[in-house]
Amino acid sequence: MCGIVGYVGDKESAPILVSGLKKLEYRGYDSAGVAVVGNQVLNVVRSVGKLRNLESRVGAEPPRGTIGIGHTRWATHGRPSDENAHPHTYKGVAVVHNGIIENHLVLKEQLRARGHEFSSETDSEVFAHLIHEELERGADLVEAVRRAVAQIKGTYALAVIWERDPTRIVCTKESSPMVIGLGEGQNFVASDVPALLEHTRDIIFMEEGDLAVLSSGKAEIFNRAGEVVNRPIRKISWTPMMAEKGGHKHFMHKEIWEQPRAVADTIRGRVLLSEGDVYFEGWTLTADQVRALSKVTVLACGTSWHAGLVGRAMIEKLARIPVEVDLASEFRYRDPLVDATQLVVAVSQSGETLDTLAAVREAKARGALAMGICNVMGSALTREADLSVMTNAGPEIGVASTKAFTTQLAAFYLLAVKLGRLRGTLTMQQAQEHLTHLTGIPKLLEAVLRVEPQVKRVAREFMKSQDFLFLGRGAMFPVALEGALKLKEISYIHAEGYAGGEMKHGPIALIDERMPVVVIAPREPKEPYEKILGNIEEVRARGGRVIAIIDEGDQHVKTLADWTIEVPPACALLAPLVATVPLQMLAYHVADMRGTDVDQPRNLAKSVTVE
Ligand code: M6R
């Protein structure tokens, strides 16, 4: 996720900005930059890659001035490059932006028609142009930012400086975090608290729609209605490490809680509801190409492979194309049957997993078209794939994947609708219904986070167990696999995921009073639900203890299971996004109670770049 830092005061701003950006490095980024105003001249220094690249450019020719803004970029629109790095400028206006401008294509077109030329591929640059237009029309900087923001559909944390108004930073936010740091004769703005802690602990958390005007002696905040407001000043006592985790004990916990936002960002700007269609940047496949596909092959490892298994259900149901899901590590050693009639979809959070990359190369060498579903723009996968669908989850730091999984599922659902429309298996109206379900998911994810106290009680009860079994049917089978993987990787408890129908073929032999069995039992679809009730009975009859993840209000399973966790019901293909959350929490709390290293479990690496 991108980082923002801004400074106005009586000191040279560039070193303060760079050191603030360093405090945000843990969030991941692919390029960085600063813009400083001195003597009414805007100076911008940007560089792709690590902050040390920026530092050496700043060191070689230090931009002078006591007001400035800086940014670390995590690419979403446009590859990582010097040109796409922030700050973006237009005729003396400089902006740094976190978030996504959904209507940037339309705005760019309109601006071009009015003679504007763009120097980057980003959506963010639009802000600099819109603001400049308003300044030309006679608005002052504050009013220009207000008017520009009113034309934007999307999310933003935005900080702006203008060389002709060299004493003020104007910043505003909507659905992206932004904080103000108060100092003596100096003020700061940042996307996150850690960037400011070395200078001040007096922090204001901006609220939705707030706009702030910062000068060296004053920080004035206006609400959405333009009224001056007094937001509370909080004394932050967090250590820098606590601040990085946003007050959460572990990154994994923070990332579990980020899922409503992460999934919303994955969907944002892609759902064309009135057309019943999906927009993907860089999409090149024609309806004829999609109709000619003989099958889709999904390649991935670990959690991403589980996402692929859910993705198979989505694509087969909505686009009616046969889908194979292969472990990337197995694929290339079995002389796979791949040809040019196939679409290979490689799924990887990091985009650097060696097995997945090798499988993609193998498939491409045999003529297949390769698509990446990936979270890191500019990673090896996005470079090697013919086209990529980014998941926009923001950097995932905990080794155990959480938000990467749910955003991969959202991306698969969008892909399934897109393919369905191109193949003609979905009418416009059907696609609209599916997309409406999808846009409702972030709200359901917010609601499901509230089950945490219940999950914690279950974790306390079972934290000493030596084994766990997870059962699911249909689209919940991969969720069972994912629940088991999460638990084993961070708590070191032996756990297995099974399809409910497989119970009688072996695992039932394991059931006794020491075996907790987590059963994922949504009421829809009806048949798997009825069958999984049978599984619950089987476990109970053998003394096993059942923890059931059920739809809210399902009284029937409540009478059968020992423990139940109620989640808001969702349509069958999207219910995996919701049902996964309590399983992530269960793994997290069991591990935390056992005192393991949750974010960096033993023997594991975040990105597996070896075979
Ligand atoms: O970066 P990738 O999605 O390609 O990583 C694949 C697996 O290594 C990863 O999902 C791993 O299984 C996680 N630790 C699961 O939490």
Side-chain angles (χ1 to χ4, degrees), residues 8 49 61 64 75 123 149 178 182 235 241 245 268 363 378 380-381 410-411 485 563:
V8 53
E61 260 179 84
R64 302 254 174 239
D123 53 343
V149 154
M178 193 159 226
L182 304 174
K235 265 257 174 274
M241 198 50 171
K245 292 173 189 155
R268 199 181 308 287
L381 177 59
L485 176 65
W563 296 78

Side-chain angles (χ1 to χ4, degrees), residues 300-305 347-353 356 399-402 404 408 482 485-486 489 604-608:
C301 302
T303 288
S304 298
W305 180 67
V347 191
S348 174
Q349 186 285 129
S350 60
E352 302 293 348
T353 300
T356 306
V399 164
S401 258
T402 51
Q408 285 165 350
E482 178 60 8
L485 176 65
K486 248 11 19 134
E489 70 182 326
L604 291 174
K606 182 66 188 159
S607 179
V608 184

Side-chain angles (χ1 to χ4, degrees), residues 352-414:
E352 302 293 348
T353 300
L354 187 84
D355 284 319
T356 306
L357 291 172
V360 167
R361 285 174 200 140
E362 180 73 36
K364 280 189 76 173
R366 292 171 189 237
L369 188 80
M371 174 188 294
I373 292 185
C374 188
N375 195 38
V376 183
M377 168 94 72
S379 61
L381 177 59
T382 63
R383 294 195 306 271
E384 297 202 20
D386 299 297
L387 64 158
S388 295
V389 171
M390 303 310 299
T391 44
N392 297 344
E396 194 180 62
I397 295 169
V399 164
S401 258
T402 51
K403 61 178 180 172
F405 180 69
T406 42
T407 54
Q408 285 165 350
L409 298 191
F412 261 119
Y413 199 79
L414 288 167

Side-chain angles (χ1 to χ4, degrees), residues 305-319:
W305 180 67
H306 298 155
L309 294 171
V310 182
R312 171 171 68 191
M314 292 172 172
I315 294 175
E316 290 195 339
K317 182 83 185 166
L318 304 188

